[in-house]
Structure formats: C-alpha cells, structure tokens
Amino acid sequence: MFINLVTTYHQIKGLEFDYVYILGLNNFEKASFKNKDNILYTVVTRAQKRVFILYEKHFPTSLQKVDKEFYKEY
C-alpha cells in the first residue's frame, strides 16, 4: 500500500516510513535552529528503505559530514 503523507519534524517522532523525502535542505540549513543536526538525524532515521534528499545548487553542508558510502548523488 502506498500512502502520501506530508508532515513536519514534530509529527514524525516515533514513526517509521518505507521512504522519506526531504525537500529544500539548503533552506533548512539557512534557518536558525540550535539543534539542526538532531532534527536532520531524526528525519533521516524514520526511513526503513531509502531517503531522498532534494537540494539546490550546492551540496548541503549537513551531508558533507556523512561517509560517501552511504549515499549516491544523481
């Protein structure tokens, strides 16, 4: 079964999904949150199969810390 769901970070705590799509990561990095790494970790770890991250122009700083064996750039 396929379910379309658009939600916020606060609503997904404790939930799991087959696929997670993160849109606008560049804009998220510009925001003034104190715990951006924790928020991104929480969102990414909700995926059971795969995470898709969409960003514009430059590779997000948050992802530069991640070992390249864990992702593919398209």
Side-chain angles (χ1 to χ4, degrees):
M1 176 169 48
F2 183 77
I3 298 173
N4 290 319
L5 176 68
V6 176
T7 187
T8 65
Y9 156 75
H10 297 288
Q11 294 173 327
I12 64 167
K13 290 181 182 178
L15 301 176
E16 293 182 338
F17 306 95
D18 286 343
Y19 301 96
V20 171
Y21 295 83
I22 301 172
L23 309 174
L25 189 56
N26 299 95
N27 293 333
F28 173 76
E29 287 186 331
K30 295 175 189 173
S32 59
F33 295 108
K34 292 181 182 177
N35 57 348
K36 281 192 266 188
D37 288 341
N38 292 341
I39 292 171
L40 187 58
Y41 174 82
T42 300
V43 173
V44 167
T45 58
R46 301 302 93 200
Q48 293 182 337
K49 294 182 181 178
R50 187 169 283 174
V51 178
F52 298 91
I53 301 174
L54 285 85
Y55 58 90
E56 55 187 63
K57 297 182 183 174
H58 70 279
F59 193 70
T61 308
S62 302
L63 298 180
Q64 291 176 0
K65 302 172 192 172
V66 177
D67 191 335
K68 289 188 178 190
E69 73 180 62
F70 293 110
Y71 66 87
K72 291 181 188 178
E73 280 190 82
Y74 295 99

